[in-house]
Amino acid sequence: MNTAVIGYPRIGKNRELKFASEKFFSASIEAGELLDVAKTIRKENLLAQKKAGITYISSNDFSFYDNVLDTAYLFNIIPARYKALGLPDLETYFAMARGYQGLKGNVKALAMKKWFNTNYHYLVPEIDDDTDIRLVGTKPIDEYEEAKALGVETKVALIGPFTFLKLAKFTGKKTIADVSNILTAEYVKLISALASKGVALIEFDEPYLVRDLDASDVKLFKDIYTKILAEKGAAKALLQTYFGDVRDIYTEVTLLPFDLIGLDFVEGRKTLELIKINGFPKDKVLVAGLVNGKNIWRNDYKKTLSVLNEIGLENVVIGTSCSLLHVPYTLESETKLSEEYKKHFAFAEEKLGELVEIAALAELGEDAKNSDIYKKNQALFEGRRDSVDEEVQARVAAITDADYIRLPAFGEREKIQKGVFDLPLFPTTTIGSFPQTQDVRKNRQEFKKGLKTKEEYNEFNQKKIAECIRLQEEIGLDVLVHGEFERNDMVEYFGEHLNGYIFTEKAWVQSYGTRNVKPPIIWGDVSRKQPITVEWSVYAKSCTDKPVKGMLTGPVTILNWSFSREDISIKESILQIALAIRDEVLDLEANGINIIQIDEAALREKLPLRKSDWYSEYLDFAIPAFRLVHSKVSPKTQIHTHMCYSEFTDIIPAIDAMDADVITFEASRSDLQILDSLKENNFKTEVGPGVYDIHSPRVPSVEEIVAALTKMRSKIDDSKLWVNPDCGLKTRGDEETKKSLINLVAAAKQIRG
Ligand code: GLN
Ligand code: ZN
């Protein structure tokens, strides 16, 4: 039986791509050196997959920043403002990804959005009426040839035109209907070029097919692929879907002349049913996504073989459910984790082994159960007794409906709080973290390595906190923060202070561009060991007379940015975490911290891709879990929350139902249409839509911020509007942060005037 991998991690086992890119950004290396690093990563990836014995390996799954951006770039979908900079190729590309501020001009980055239901982010292609869509690049061809020269015959993975168009933003009068023919024709050129180079298999990634589709979407998809598939020549075509099932287009897809179809059996709840009810064409190959590309637990071979059995087809390839981009490289890099834990996990490299083992077991048929591989695998699923904490389970069982309700109601609290805090109109604040400069990281690392005592470590952080408070006072911000210098990462930090969590050393996963995250693993039942943030917040408060905001991460985000358990439900896990964070909220309050921000940066992450599932499968327990965290604080305590994206136009009632007092969110990179929705929905919570983009080092001008605020004021009541950046400042430098915040405060003062 054959095996297939959709895509492989590309940041490098030791994050080589990140470090080289950052050096390139700061002009300390030339482009050539960065290209070499990338080449080595691609080579190692290909050879790892080849060595494991994978049949279908992708090329063109590599990216310097993001594959959607690559696709835009490939087809000349480069907004004029970036071209006008007149930069060399690679730098134009990075200007689109990160914005540009320098001798040649000053432009913002493209908008960035979550890639479906993952924590990976793509750059939103912009198409205006003058966009000259045209195949101008050769990346897919080059990377195919590079692989071939290494002795690896690859399938060439492309983001399909349908998904690309659906994700693009149209900024002029033109719509998808006006450009789909042109883009399709350019894809046809690319396909012909690939075929003429001897490419045998082209993979079209069309994850958009797992979303709700209407008749016009189905028609668009059929139109595009009828044309493309007519021109593919000798090359075979693989339609690859992931992150769910294709229930709205299954029949149409099986009727199109694709040679292989990749379906997701992990997240696609209806995939098996679709095949059973409608059948699967005999003349096509099914690439069955059975190995989870998103989580790190070992595959349960018993389950997988039984699904294969139910599929009951001959032409099946064992595949991953999605690209392995979403899991870390290899367990081999984990030197500190004991075998007792490790044996339960499979990262990208280990998943290659699983694919091959499953393929071999599937060939054995009934005999598979007698093989050592199978028995060893099954032993892993016989229960992990150390993961159970009866006290935690009893606490969850004792939660009552009243625990989910904060009293008095919002309106009354708002009045009380206006009296207590006496803040100016348009209060200014930040989202929590201040620049994590070299010294900050060094302090943490030295403490972790035992090179610094707890006292030395604390002393350094206190010094940083005091400086940070002084800086904020000097800048004139209204609600201050301690700066989060003690935190490596907003989820890992809390995980480290909770029972039930385990950690890795090198299990990095790409979040966007050069930003990688190292999600902790929820191993067992979760509870709080002891107060986590109280001493830092209390210290910060002792440095100033202004209000200091305590800073926590919410239960939904902690869960969504961890590798979650597969042996209990997500709902159960979230409630356990919610109770732990609630303990922390109440301790902060008891220690005089009466503004507390509970970040839910990743609330939307696990929102089902299909609307019909939103409430029943997710929001109906995620939103109450958030309320559980803050429901018992006094009306005089102000609860803030923060989200990292503005895409919640469609779940505004759910966001309001979190019942926070203030919410801040990203808005500067996307248009301000969310403001209309807030107004339409009579949003009660006070809001701080980010007034500038912190993902880029660019300093926003006062005028720019005033313009953003002016727009906001036309939709949001003055009494409810806060002024803040769109996210934490930890990835920024000291200098740009100071300048930006000075401008932010100046802008707030200007509109107060
Ligand atoms: N409080 C966090 C910070 O400022 C929020 C980060 C986030 O939203 N991703 O870093
Ligand atoms: Zn954020």
Side-chain angles (χ1 to χ4, degrees):
M1 221 173 215
N2 288 332
T3 51
V5 171
I6 298 175
Y8 211 65
R10 66 232 181 171
I11 55 180
K13 273 187 191 162
N14 292 303
R15 292 181 290 159
E16 290 84 350
L17 188 63
K18 169 196 177 68
F19 298 123
S21 303
E22 285 171 351
K23 281 190 198 145
F24 177 66
F25 299 156
S26 64
S28 50
I29 60 170
E30 301 278 322
E33 198 172 320
L34 175 57
L35 297 181
D36 283 345
V37 169
K39 196 168 173 181
T40 306
I41 291 174
R42 289 194 296 266
K43 178 175 164 190
E44 284 175 0
N45 285 355
L46 291 166
L47 297 183
Q49 294 174 82
K50 187 176 174 189
K51 186 168 154 229
I54 301 300
T55 327
Y56 298 108
I57 301 170
S58 286
S59 57
N60 199 40
D61 57 340
F62 175 82
S63 178
F64 278 105
Y65 210 92
D66 162 51
N67 301 93
V68 178
L69 176 63
D70 295 345
T71 310
Y73 204 80
L74 179 68
F75 291 108
N76 197 35
I77 302 175
I78 305 170
R81 60 182 184 277
Y82 301 107
K83 288 199 166 169
L85 296 169
L87 295 167
D89 248 10
L90 191 59
E91 284 168 58
T92 307
Y93 171 90
F94 282 128
M96 291 166 76
R98 313 172 58 237
Y100 176 89
Q101 183 175 34
L103 294 174
K104 307 258 169 98
N106 191 346
V107 282
K108 282 203 232 175
L110 290 173
M112 189 164 70
K113 280 193 181 159
K114 268 170 52 60
W115 177 240
F116 296 85
N117 53 359
T118 71
N119 180 28
Y120 175 75
H121 299 74
Y122 69 95
L123 288 143
V124 182
E126 257 178 49
I127 300 179
D128 65 25
D129 297 346
D130 300 322
T131 306
D132 175 19
I133 300 177
R134 197 154 46 84
L135 176 66
V136 289
T138 53
K139 177 179 183 288
I141 300 169
D142 300 343
E143 289 181 18
Y144 168 77
E145 295 198 313
E146 182 186 281
K148 194 162 184 161
L150 290 166
V152 186
E153 177 65 39
T154 54
K155 58 183 158 97
V156 176
L158 305 173
I159 301 277
F162 176 75
T163 295
F164 182 84
L165 285 171
K166 295 298 285 185
L167 298 181
K169 184 163 100 183
F170 288 79
T171 55
K173 290 202 189 71
K174 285 190 181 165
T175 63
I176 289 186
D178 301 310
V179 305
S180 75
N181 283 340
I182 304 167
L183 182 66
T184 303
E186 296 304 307
Y187 263 85
V188 165
K189 282 185 198 156
L190 174 62
I191 306 310
S192 313
L194 288 169
S196 76
K197 296 283 175 192
V199 173
L201 179 57
I202 301 170
E203 169 182 313
F204 297 91
D205 282 13
E206 290 286 11
Y208 206 92
L209 293 186
V210 310
R211 306 199 74 129
D212 295 318
L213 304 178
D214 61 23
S216 71
D217 293 322
V218 174
K219 180 172 182 306
L220 174 67
F221 184 85
K222 274 168 67 179
D223 287 351
I224 290 175
Y225 279 97
T226 304
K227 285 184 200 140
I228 287 183
L229 296 175
E231 304 291 335
K232 69 186 171 66
K236 292 197 165 161
L238 158 61
L239 170 67
Q240 185 63 58
T241 66
Y242 38 87
F243 303 142
D245 60 65
V246 298
R247 67 187 81 153
D248 293 337
I249 195 166
Y250 181 80
T251 318
E252 289 80 359
V253 152
T254 52
L255 288 173
L256 282 162
F258 289 107
D259 304 283
L260 301 89
I261 298 179
L263 302 177
D264 176 356
F265 287 82
V266 174
E267 284 188 276
R269 282 193 292 129
K270 296 219 164 155
T271 303
L272 190 56
E273 190 183 317
L274 286 168
I275 291 179
K276 283 190 172 168
I277 292 175
N278 305 292
F280 187 86
K282 292 263 171 314
D283 60 338
K284 294 191 199 311
V285 175
L286 171 69
V287 182
L290 289 159
V291 169
N292 194 339
K294 277 191 185 167
N295 212 339
I296 43 98
W297 299 90
R298 279 268 165 202
N299 188 283
D300 182 343
Y301 290 171
K302 185 172 167 190
K303 270 196 200 153
T304 299
L305 291 177
S306 102
V307 175
L308 270 173
N309 212 15
E310 285 197 64
I311 294 171
L313 293 171
E314 277 183 13
N315 284 331
V316 178
V317 170
I318 311 292
T320 53
S321 66
C322 60
S323 167
L324 296 178
L325 166 68
H326 309 292
V327 290
Y329 263 91
T330 174
L331 276 166
E332 252 165 48
S333 307
E334 302 304 323
T335 55
K336 294 200 184 122
L337 212 55
S338 82
E339 203 38 49
E340 275 314 292
Y341 290 116
K342 278 211 270 195
K343 68 180 184 196
H344 288 275
F345 304 135
F347 295 174
E349 204 168 287
E350 292 75 30
K351 283 177 194 283
L352 301 177
E354 290 189 332
L355 289 165
V356 173
E357 284 187 357
I358 294 166
L361 290 174
E363 276 173 14
L364 290 179
E366 271 308 302
D367 289 339
K369 297 201 162 61
N370 301 321
S371 75
D372 287 345
I373 291 179
Y374 183 87
K375 286 183 197 154
K376 193 171 155 214
N377 174 269
Q378 284 310 290
L380 297 173
F381 296 90
E382 276 154 17
R384 296 183 284 118
R385 242 167 297 123
D386 67 334
S387 66
V388 177
D389 181 335
E390 274 160 19
E391 215 171 293
V392 172
Q393 300 199 346
R395 243 185 122 190
V396 170
I399 297 171
T400 66
D401 288 350
D403 289 321
Y404 293 112
I405 299 168
R406 183 167 175 207
L407 292 171
F410 176 85
E412 201 148 320
R413 287 184 336 245
E414 194 179 27
K415 265 183 245 145
I416 296 172
Q417 290 168 16
K418 294 260 185 238
V420 179
F421 296 111
D422 194 27
L423 294 167
L425 205 53
F426 312 115
T428 54
T429 189
T430 62
I431 307 304
S433 58
F434 267 69
Q436 289 259 333
T437 40
Q438 207 60 47
D439 55 333
V440 174
R441 270 174 293 177
K442 192 164 158 239
N443 180 50
R444 228 175 21 233
Q445 279 155 9
E446 290 185 342
F447 174 54
K448 276 200 174 154
K449 286 191 192 137
L451 300 172
K452 263 193 177 173
T453 64
K454 174 102 184 149
E455 289 67 39
E456 287 167 332
Y457 168 75
N458 282 0
E459 202 181 309
F460 176 89
N461 276 345
Q462 291 191 342
K463 191 179 114 242
K464 287 301 281 193
I465 290 173
E467 279 169 21
C468 183
I469 293 283
R470 219 175 308 128
L471 175 71
Q472 294 171 79
E473 286 184 329
E474 194 185 305
I475 291 171
L477 289 154
D478 300 307
V479 173
L480 313 191
V481 295
H482 75 285
E484 300 183 21
F485 303 110
E486 75 286 7
R487 300 183 195 180
N488 33 6
D489 167 276
M490 66 187 287
V491 168
E492 188 173 36
Y493 177 73
F494 284 90
E496 279 169 358
H497 292 81
L498 295 172
N499 296 311
Y501 264 93
I502 59 172
F503 301 89
T504 58
E505 285 165 84
K506 300 232 165 120
W508 297 97
V509 178
Q510 189 175 23
S511 172
Y512 68 86
T514 51
R515 174 137 178 85
N516 306 311
V517 292
K518 190 153 64 69
I521 300 170
I522 307 181
W523 174 263
D525 291 338
V526 172
S527 59
R528 190 182 69 148
K529 296 178 191 163
Q530 61 209 18
I532 304 172
T533 64
V534 176
E535 78 173 275
W536 302 120
S537 292
V538 167
Y539 179 75
K541 197 172 155 67
S542 75
C543 300
T544 179
D545 293 331
K546 291 206 168 181
V548 170
K549 187 158 66 159
M551 208 48 68
L552 303 176
T553 304
V556 187
T557 297
I558 292 185
L559 181 108
N560 286 354
W561 280 348
S562 304
F563 286 116
S564 60
R565 285 166 74 174
E566 291 181 346
D567 61 335
I568 64 170
S569 71
I570 299 258
K571 175 181 173 181
E572 175 93 13
S573 256
I574 290 189
L575 288 177
Q576 292 182 358
I577 302 167
L579 289 173
I581 301 300
R582 171 186 166 116
D583 294 344
E584 185 72 9
V585 167
L586 295 175
D587 272 346
L588 280 172
E589 185 184 48
N591 282 280
I593 305 298
N594 37 29
I595 301 187
I596 302 169
Q597 178 171 309
I598 307 161
D599 290 327
E600 283 294 13
L603 182 94
R604 219 193 141 99
E605 205 122 307
K606 288 206 160 71
L607 188 69
L609 293 171
R610 291 179 186 276
K611 278 198 173 162
S612 48
D613 296 339
W614 280 3
Y615 282 85
S616 60
E617 301 272 321
Y618 185 66
L619 293 172
D620 283 349
F621 61 83
I623 302 294
F626 182 86
R627 288 201 305 263
L628 180 64
V629 174
H630 70 92
S631 62
K632 286 293 165 280
V633 300
S634 137
K636 290 186 189 153
T637 297
Q638 189 170 65
I639 298 294
H640 290 217
T641 187
H642 165 73
M643 287 175 191
C644 276
Y645 44 80
S646 53
E647 260 192 277
F648 51 77
T649 316
D650 36 17
I651 52 167
I652 283 180
I655 305 290
D656 227 9
M658 291 165 78
D659 205 22
D661 300 304
V662 181
I663 174 167
T664 58
F665 55 86
E666 180 250 300
S668 58
R669 272 188 133 185
S670 43
D671 49 40
L672 294 170
Q673 71 170 232
I674 178 148
L675 304 178
D676 290 314
S677 320
L678 294 177
K679 197 175 161 82
E680 277 158 31
N681 284 277
N682 236 326
F683 198 67
K684 68 174 196 319
T685 316
E686 295 186 6
V687 288
V691 295
Y692 76 87
D693 174 17
I694 63 89
H695 301 89
S696 140
R698 204 181 141 265
V699 174
S701 66
V702 178
E703 297 72 49
E704 203 178 313
I705 300 175
V706 168
L709 286 168
T710 308
K711 243 192 200 167
M712 291 169 192
R713 287 182 68 194
S714 68
K715 309 283 179 189
I716 296 168
D717 203 78
D718 282 355
S719 67
K720 285 193 189 284
L721 185 58
W722 287 66
V723 182
N724 45 263
D726 70 354
C727 196
L729 302 163
K730 71 164 165 239
T731 56
R732 295 277 57 89
D734 279 333
E735 212 174 304
E736 73 227 32
T737 295
K738 185 170 174 185
K739 285 186 188 155
S740 302
L741 292 176
I742 287 176
N743 288 355
L744 178 144
V745 169
K749 286 196 174 139
Q750 193 169 319
I751 59 163
R752 276 174 207 153

